[in-house]
Amino acid sequence: MTPADLSKNILLILQQLQQQGVLPTAELPAEVVIERPKNREHGDWATNVAMQFAGKFGMNPREFATKLAQELAKVTGVEKVDIAGPGFINITLSAAAAGELAKQIVEAGGNFGKGSLYAGLKMNLEFVSANPTGPIHIGGTRWAAVGDSLARIFEAQGANVTREYYFNDHGAQIDRFARSLLAAAKSEPAPEDGYSGEYINQIAAAVVKENPSWAKLEDSEATELFRAGGVELMFGEIKQSLKDFGVHFDVFFHENSLYESGAVHKAIAKLRDLGHIYEQDGAIWLRSTTFGDDRDRVVIKSDGEAAYIAGDLAYYLDKRERGFDRAIYMLGADHHGYVQRMMAMCSAFGDEPGVNLEILIGQLVNLVKDGAPVRMSKRAGTVVTMEDLVDAVGVDAARYALTRSSINSMLDIDLDQLSKKTNDNPVFYVQYAHARTKQVANNAASLGVETSEFDPGLLSHASESDLLAKLAQFPAIMNHAAIERAPHLVARYLEEVAGSYHRWYDNCRVTPLSGNPVETIHRTRLWLNTAASVVLANGLKVLGVSAPERM
RNA sequence: GCGCUUGUAGCUCAACGGAUAGAGCAUCUGACUACGGAUCAGAAGGUUGGGGGUUCGAGUCCCUCCAAGCGCACCA
């Protein structure tokens, strides 16, 4: 008996009561929410359905709750139903009904926690998309961790997810990058608005090595040489970093390709046909104010060059033409000003904002040293890259730390904390719980405890009831995390599971004390131990964190 | 000035509009001749930034004020 089962049962009972005329006909709730009460005395599960819907039936909540409770108490596996406060319905399950779940989880294995919320939906999730003018720094690293987890969460709901990275390899910043490389090759100071740093020197040297005759070229040709070579090297480095971080992208999309293929002009032509393009002051404009933007946007500048948004138009159209039902962009808070114009663009194409196009804004990562914020600066040596972070704490700790907070909150990364390699990351708490499940299983095997028996009624200790209830919530957590686009919910949940598991371990032995016989209860607990193992492993996988057998 | 996000324990952060606001770290006190002590039990720690409002019920929704980060281009 899981919370989902309870929910279904309650809906069924409400329908029956209506048919019997006990309840008046009124629209039934689409879903009955079952919660785990914070207070143990309130039973195993609780629902507030009476308070939320009694009004619609013209009844007071307690009266409604009483009628529902009478029927609910008859359901097999339900031991006790109480009505509390303004109309909470508190449900206590029999130990056997609750314990049944251990076996279900073990049998579901890697599938436990999956759902069908987005079955068949083609999603394009674009994240990181850091400019290829330098290595990925800590901010982009956050999106790498969160975005990949989110993709896994969507996939667990049946979505077909394409992870995509957009390389801004077109336009002025790449020009600056190319000129910076050329300057470095000539041992000249970096251009005023250019890039500098050790990595620029290294890339320049690498391009020089590949093209020994570069110095004979005109500056314009040499710049092209350095552009192509530099961008290529940067791509390679970024891809390698992402791979080392455990993040796989299905598509690396090059902005430049939109210009080379004519997709930009095609997109503008389409908008022109739709009547949303006009000309003024020598420039081509998108009338985005029609769709809620606070001003119209220049698409082609008066000098004939495309504005940045031109690429975005073509890129979005390209995604839709590739068959994606939903294009999700993950952007940093410094880009939140784009949301309105992007949504306007979506509308202009005749699509539905928020459905076909969704933009997730995440807050930036702050660097902190000695309690004071520091600005990332190459000269001051305070740039923290993805590689730096991984070198300092490892992939598991890095991904976990970046994923366990809501993207709506700013994250402080403490430089000293990083270099200390401390044990205060909760990931170790969770991983240790998983390792423990494996060690317990090993001990059980060597002492001849097997899964040949399962008597769920024996899982009656308070810590077992607590652990079972916690495990039962995993599918709901995964569903919620998908709807809210919030991978941190999974991390927080795992910490709770780990806590429940550790407490259970402390109270209930899977292997008998030496000299004592193996009994049914030990064999039954082995199922629960494996169930905990399954949930911890499935959850850690969603976060891209390893589930070690020993630490 | 306008907009987006945030403000919760000493610190980092949780909490579908639900009951006594929770974890980890840090602090203090206990627990292995018992499946790994990277653990557990317990203590302490809060006017959820201030003030109004909505309702059976508000950290959560609305208004307002305060504070912080970010953004308001024919830059990318």
Side-chain angles (χ1 to χ4, degrees):
Chain A
M1 180 70 68
T2 65
D5 296 332
L6 272 177
S7 181
K8 275 182 214 152
N9 269 307
I10 290 173
L11 263 180
L12 221 60
I13 288 170
L14 291 176
Q15 281 166 9
Q16 283 167 3
L17 288 176
Q18 279 189 325
Q19 281 161 16
Q20 293 162 12
V22 180
L23 288 178
T25 24
E27 199 179 336
L28 288 172
E31 188 195 9
V32 174
V33 177
I34 304 289
E35 296 179 313
R36 175 75 175 169
K38 285 168 193 155
N39 190 333
R40 198 64 194 84
E41 289 163 14
H42 290 151
D44 295 325
W45 302 101
T47 177
N48 60 359
V49 68
M51 276 126 63
Q52 285 188 328
F53 291 94
K56 286 193 181 169
F57 292 83
M59 302 166 85
N60 78 53
R62 286 197 68 108
E63 184 190 354
F64 183 102
T66 305
K67 297 212 191 298
L68 175 56
Q70 279 171 358
E71 296 303 312
L72 191 55
K74 295 177 192 165
V75 173
T76 314
V78 174
E79 188 168 283
K80 193 158 64 97
V81 182
D82 300 304
I83 298 167
F88 286 105
I89 299 174
N90 293 329
I91 304 156
T92 305
L93 299 179
S94 70
E100 220 22 80
L101 178 71
K103 197 168 188 175
Q104 290 170 12
I105 293 174
V106 173
E107 283 166 356
N111 286 324
F112 185 66
K114 291 191 178 171
S116 55
L117 186 63
Y118 298 132
L121 194 67
K122 260 197 97 179
M123 294 174 114
N124 182 289
L125 185 64
E126 184 203 325
F127 55 109
V128 186
S129 297
N131 291 331
T133 53
I136 298 177
H137 59 69
I138 189 91
T141 308
R142 182 179 194 183
W143 309 134
V146 174
D148 186 49
S149 292
L150 196 52
R152 293 172 194 229
I153 287 168
F154 290 150
E155 283 168 343
Q157 294 300 329
N160 180 343
V161 183
T162 294
R163 294 164 174 79
E164 189 149 325
Y165 188 121
Y166 187 50
F167 274 125
N168 295 116
D169 56 354
H170 180 91
Q173 66 190 351
I174 287 294
D175 294 340
R176 288 201 292 269
F177 178 62
R179 279 186 277 114
S180 302
L181 290 176
L182 179 58
K186 291 177 172 174
S187 299
E188 289 172 1
E192 182 91 4
D193 53 356
Y195 301 87
S196 58
E198 192 46 40
Y199 79 99
I200 289 286
N201 294 332
Q202 284 170 9
I203 293 169
V207 175
V208 165
K209 197 175 171 190
E210 288 290 311
N211 304 276
S213 58
W214 68 277
K216 294 176 197 155
L217 299 172
E218 297 285 320
D219 265 13
S220 61
E221 284 175 316
T223 304
E224 285 313 305
L225 185 68
F226 280 95
R227 179 205 306 275
V231 164
E232 196 56 41
L233 283 166
M234 223 46 254
F235 285 161
E237 203 166 298
I238 288 172
K239 287 177 182 173
Q240 187 60 45
S241 295
L242 290 166
K243 194 175 168 194
D244 295 343
F245 201 55
V247 177
H248 167 80
F249 279 92
D250 302 295
V251 176
F252 285 95
F253 197 97
H254 294 245
E255 181 186 12
N256 211 27
S257 71
L258 293 168
Y259 291 89
E260 289 175 348
S261 70
V264 169
H265 286 286
K266 199 178 99 189
I268 295 172
K270 176 161 184 178
L271 288 169
R272 196 192 301 275
D273 289 345
L274 290 165
H276 306 311
I277 294 286
Y278 66 96
E279 208 162 317
Q280 189 179 308
D281 304 331
I284 310 279
W285 298 69
L286 171 66
R287 193 176 283 110
S288 53
T289 48
T290 311
F291 304 101
D293 199 0
D294 51 10
R295 58 182 303 158
D296 288 343
R297 303 292 168 180
V298 167
V299 177
I300 303 290
K301 296 185 276 186
S302 52
D303 65 2
E305 289 289 316
Y308 184 75
I309 195 173
D312 282 337
L313 296 173
Y315 187 32
Y316 172 73
L317 190 61
D318 182 87
K319 283 179 180 172
R320 294 284 286 140
E321 286 177 347
R322 274 188 276 152
F324 294 107
D325 304 308
R326 187 178 276 265
I328 303 181
Y329 292 68
M330 295 186 69
L331 302 177
D334 52 341
H335 286 67
H336 77 253
Y338 299 5
V339 175
Q340 218 174 16
R341 77 190 67 162
M342 291 285 280
M343 290 302 171
M345 166 200 82
C346 172
S347 299
F349 277 122
D351 283 346
E352 196 178 339
V355 173
N356 301 117
L357 170 62
E358 181 176 338
I359 298 178
L360 303 177
I361 296 295
Q363 298 303 307
L364 303 176
V365 178
N366 281 330
L367 273 192
V368 176
K369 194 180 176 78
D370 301 328
V374 279
R375 197 134 186 102
M376 281 218 251
S377 149
K378 280 163 191 144
R379 263 179 317 194
T382 52
V383 171
V384 176
T385 65
M386 182 179 268
E387 274 183 32
D388 294 338
L389 187 61
V390 170
D391 286 347
V393 301
V395 172
D396 284 348
R399 288 192 65 151
Y400 194 87
L402 292 170
T403 312
R404 80 183 282 269
S405 296
S406 160
I407 61 167
N408 287 331
S409 63
M410 287 178 274
L411 208 54
D412 287 335
I413 295 289
D414 190 312
L415 287 176
D416 306 321
Q417 205 73 7
L418 279 183
S419 52
K420 265 193 290 184
K421 180 128 185 167
T422 56
N423 241 16
D424 63 0
N425 191 322
V427 73
F428 299 118
Y429 185 76
V430 177
Q431 287 184 314
Y432 181 57
H434 179 267
R436 225 176 201 183
T437 63
K438 292 300 182 184
Q439 292 309 303
V440 167
N442 288 343
N443 292 333
S446 63
L447 289 171
V449 180
E450 292 169 349
T451 52
S452 51
E453 281 187 291
F454 181 66
D455 182 355
L458 296 175
L459 299 174
S460 58
H461 189 272
S463 66
E464 310 195 293
S465 162
D466 181 68
L467 178 57
L468 281 162
K470 202 65 87 188
L471 298 178
Q473 286 170 280
F474 187 51
I477 294 287
M478 288 289 286
N479 181 276
H480 193 206
I483 291 171
E484 298 292 323
R485 282 80 170 101
H488 76 275
L489 296 175
V490 176
R492 299 293 171 154
Y493 166 75
L494 288 179
E495 289 167 31
E496 290 178 19
V497 172
S500 290
Y501 178 77
H502 286 312
R503 283 185 283 280
W504 174 68
Y505 169 93
D506 229 51
N507 283 289
C508 301
R509 294 185 56 91
V510 171
T511 54
L513 289 175
S514 60
N516 293 335
V518 176
E519 294 174 21
T520 308
I521 192 166
H522 302 115
R523 301 191 181 100
T524 302
R525 281 177 179 158
L526 183 55
W527 284 90
L528 180 55
N529 183 72
T530 308
S533 193
V534 164
V535 170
L536 288 166
N538 290 0
L540 286 170
K541 190 169 184 188
V542 162
L543 300 175
V545 174
S546 69
E549 305 227 340
R550 56 180 67 242
M551 298 178 69

